[in-house]
């Protein structure tokens, strides 16, 4: 992600990484994402979470939580625009399944 954004890993932090990660997760369109996260959480050795993989896993859980709880104000949108965009997105996902 840092390479795509043209950012050096040393100069970039979560403020640069997380919005790009949200974009990647959203566009990856992973089926059963929540089930996969729960499987990893339940069956992965806890010591494995103390690594770069653990950092990525925390960001993945945070991204999913953001998507589950996002509100129009967080996106600088009106409620009507937000609901219209959500309806379009839901219709698009439904047509792909």
């Amino acid at each position: 992600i840092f390479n795509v954004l043209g950012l050096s890993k040393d100069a970039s932090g979560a403020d640069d990484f997380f919005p790009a990660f949200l974009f990647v997760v959203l566009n990856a369109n992973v089926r059963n994402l929540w089930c996969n996260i729960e499987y990893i959480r339940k069956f992965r050795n806890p010591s494995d979470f103390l690594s770069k993989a653990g950092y990525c896993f925390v960001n993945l859980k945070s991204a999913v939580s953001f998507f589950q709880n996002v509100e129009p104000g967080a996106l600088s949108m009106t409620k009507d625009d937000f609901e219209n965009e959500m309806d379009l997105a839901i219709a698009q996902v439904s047509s792909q399944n």
Side-chain angles (χ1 to χ4, degrees):
I1 293 175
F2 287 105
N3 290 341
V4 170
L5 293 175
L7 302 170
S8 80
K9 292 180 184 175
D10 297 333
S12 302
D15 290 342
D16 296 320
F17 174 77
F18 194 65
F21 191 69
L22 288 172
F23 180 80
V24 169
V25 171
L26 187 61
N27 285 286
N29 198 22
V30 176
R31 291 184 182 264
N32 303 312
L33 179 59
W34 185 250
C35 293
N36 287 314
I37 289 172
E38 283 300 296
Y39 180 85
I40 292 167
R41 187 186 62 78
K42 289 180 181 178
F43 298 109
R44 182 87 183 210
N45 183 337
S47 66
D48 290 340
F49 292 121
L50 303 174
S51 64
K52 288 180 184 178
Y55 175 76
C56 289
F57 185 68
V58 167
N59 277 290
L60 180 60
K61 287 178 25 180
S62 297
V64 170
S65 178
F66 175 83
F67 293 131
Q68 290 174 326
N69 299 300
V70 69
E71 294 182 1
L75 302 174
S76 302
M77 298 176 80
T78 66
K79 184 177 180 181
D80 289 338
D81 288 343
F82 178 79
E83 289 176 1
N84 289 336
E85 292 296 328
M86 287 297 290
D87 290 343
L88 288 171
I90 290 168
Q92 182 180 12
V93 168
S94 296
S95 71
Q96 292 175 354
N97 292 329

